[in-house]
Amino acid sequence: VTVWGIVVAGGRGARFGAPKQFHPLGPTRRNLVDHSVTTAAAVCDRVVVVLPDDRRWDGLPVAAAVTGGESRSDSVRAGLAAVGDDADVVVVHDAARPLASSDLFRAVVDAVRAGADGAVPALALADTVKRVDGDRVVETVTREALVAVQTPQAFRADVLRRAHARRADATDDAALVEATGGTVVVVPGERANLKVTTRADLDIVAALLDGPPGTAP
Amino acid sequence: VTVWGIVVAGGRGARFGAPKQFHPLGPTRRNLVDHSVTTAAAVCDRVVVVLPDDRRWDGLPVAAAVTGGESRSDSVRAGLAAVGDDADVVVVHDAARPLASSDLFRAVVDAVRAGADGAVPALALADTVKRVDGDRVVETVTREALVAVQTPQAFRADVLRRAHARRADATDDAALVEATGGTVVVVPGERANLKVTTRADLDIVAALLDGPPGTAP
């Protein structure tokens, strides 16, 4: 089984400011993208990194470094175009989650090898979820059976290519696969696998990378 | 306006193991409850702490230390019974969120002083949310208008007492107030205000308390 990884660090920074993405973090001073590519490379046979259009890749050797698109899904499609025909499984990972472990990459890949079309890490929702209208709470949502999903997300390569052929946008790749009728399963996510979307998140991730012995990652 | 705070550290550890709750953290070696009581005391005129039945309070001076109940809502009711008749606003806070700031306490109190029946901190959902059946994804939930809510949650004292008089259970107090028709508004939550529900969460919070200068809190 040949596994390709796509690390999505791209787009034009509309979702994620480029400076944050390339901000050095932790004792090793590696940035979010370096962390994600390193972890992906530990599990995937080949890795494609998707970058903003004003960035060149100067990190670890990768199979390809391509320029992202307007939306996150466009960026994944740009990466997917650089994935070889030999790929059996494709793992898509957001560089904004630098603390995902190699075990988590293995877990989603294994779930696809075991027969699922796709596999995503998921956690029970820790917080109460409410629906709002402006700043007014409308209702408290029943959160039984709801999970928060993360990346890395693994897919059968043919299924992922077919799902992206529709050129739709979604907040994750699993949603596109679900829309084509594919079976997506969940594996246990990781608490420390936070998504960096704000400066405060970056501070949190930096603290975790600098954390005391025994601390994630 | 007289503000009382209830720090919920109680129940019998079904939701939250007592050892974790009283585990010393960070450079000051204070536990989760101490952190939460200290922050509550900075904003509230009087503080009630709700403890497991095998614990006595030996931290900061508080107005009352009471024993919690079976459910979280039972524990809040135990605390509410110790809140004075002079209370205009009651703030309920989970000790499992030791990184909530005093500014956040002030923000929810101010929103109630400005006319709401209740006010809760809320964040946009960072992760994609899916509905699952076992380990199989059933659907991706539209997360527009959905928020993850935190504590501290502030309420008009009379409204909160009336909501709890029904003796119902819910994952937060705002849900009980919503059920009685009260208006609950949201204020911006804090990314670092994580809820400690697992050992991994405790490690994350410990790393944040030990974090580099400039890091929350």
Side-chain angles (χ1 to χ4, degrees), chain A residues 20-79:
Chain A
K20 254 181 253 150
Q21 210 160 347
F22 295 98
H23 190 83
L25 286 180
T28 62
R29 312 310 293 156
R30 292 183 303 154
N31 63 38
L32 300 187
V33 190
D34 291 328
H35 279 281
S36 292
V37 168
T38 300
T39 312
V43 176
C44 305
D45 299 296
R46 317 287 303 272
V47 174
V48 175
V49 60
V50 185
L51 299 171
D53 57 11
D54 61 348
R55 281 273 168 174
R56 299 183 148 262
W57 182 243
D58 58 2
L60 284 182
V62 290
V66 302
T67 299
E70 206 62 51
S71 68
R72 180 185 180 285
S73 296
D74 287 335
S75 291
V76 174
R77 284 189 277 275

Side-chain angles (χ1 to χ4, degrees), chain A residues 97 127 140 178 191 201, chain B residues 97 127 140 178 191 201:
Chain A
R97 295 189 187 269
D127 301 326
T140 298
E178 291 152 37
R191 287 276 172 197
D201 296 330
Chain B
R97 296 190 186 268
D127 301 327
T140 298
E178 291 152 36
R191 287 278 173 196
D201 296 328

Side-chain angles (χ1 to χ4, degrees), chain B residues 72-88:
Chain B
R72 181 186 180 284
S73 296
D74 287 334
S75 291
V76 174
R77 284 188 278 274
L80 201 50
V83 166
D85 290 340
D86 61 333
D88 298 301

Side-chain angles (χ1 to χ4, degrees), chain B residues 1-9 30-50 57 60-64 83 89-109 151-154 190 193:
Chain B
V1 172
T2 302
V3 180
W4 282 66
I6 300 173
V7 173
V8 186
R30 292 184 302 153
N31 63 37
L32 300 188
V33 190
D34 291 329
H35 279 282
S36 291
V37 168
T38 301
T39 312
V43 175
C44 304
D45 299 295
R46 317 287 303 271
V47 174
V48 175
V49 61
V50 185
W57 181 244
L60 281 183
V62 291
V83 166
V89 175
V90 177
V91 186
V92 183
H93 183 56
D94 288 324
R97 296 190 186 268
L99 299 178
S101 73
S102 54
D103 283 346
L104 193 59
F105 274 78
R106 270 180 218 108
V108 289
V109 169
T151 69
Q153 301 190 341
E190 294 177 335
N193 184 17

Side-chain angles (χ1 to χ4, degrees), chain B:
Chain B
V1 172
T2 302
V3 180
W4 282 66
I6 300 173
V7 173
V8 186
R12 294 175 190 168
R15 284 172 50 86
F16 183 83
K20 255 181 249 147
Q21 207 160 348
F22 294 97
H23 190 82
L25 287 180
T28 63
R29 311 309 294 154
R30 292 184 302 153
N31 63 37
L32 300 188
V33 190
D34 291 329
H35 279 282
S36 291
V37 168
T38 301
T39 312
V43 175
C44 304
D45 299 295
R46 317 287 303 271
V47 174
V48 175
V49 61
V50 185
L51 299 171
D53 56 11
D54 60 346
R55 281 274 167 176
R56 298 182 149 261
W57 181 244
D58 58 1
L60 281 183
V62 291
V66 301
T67 299
E70 207 61 53
S71 68
R72 181 186 180 284
S73 296
D74 287 334
S75 291
V76 174
R77 284 188 278 274
L80 201 50
V83 166
D85 290 340
D86 61 333
D88 298 301
V89 175
V90 177
V91 186
V92 183
H93 183 56
D94 288 324
R97 296 190 186 268
L99 299 178
S101 73
S102 54
D103 283 346
L104 193 59
F105 274 78
R106 270 180 218 108
V108 289
V109 169
D110 286 349
V112 171
R113 293 182 65 171
D117 290 323
V120 302
L123 288 175
L125 295 172
D127 301 327
T128 298
V129 175
K130 295 184 193 283
R131 191 175 305 279
V132 291
D133 180 6
D135 73 345
R136 171 79 192 274
V137 173
V138 178
E139 64 163 341
T140 298
V141 176
T142 305
R143 63 182 165 171
E144 280 168 60
L146 291 186
V147 294
V149 307
Q150 309 176 333
T151 69
Q153 301 190 341
F155 303 94
R156 275 179 46 187
D158 57 337
V159 168
L160 186 64
R161 290 192 207 270
R162 208 154 51 227
H164 272 290
R166 299 184 172 196
R167 312 203 71 77
D169 281 343
T171 56
D172 71 354
D173 298 281
L176 300 177
V177 168
E178 291 152 36
T180 62
T183 56
V184 176
V185 299
V186 297
V187 305
E190 294 177 335
R191 287 278 173 196
N193 184 17
L194 303 169
K195 186 172 183 179
V196 176
T197 53
T198 65
R199 174 73 213 189
D201 296 328
L202 196 68
D203 289 341
I204 292 170
V205 165
L208 292 178
L209 286 168
D210 279 331
T215 301

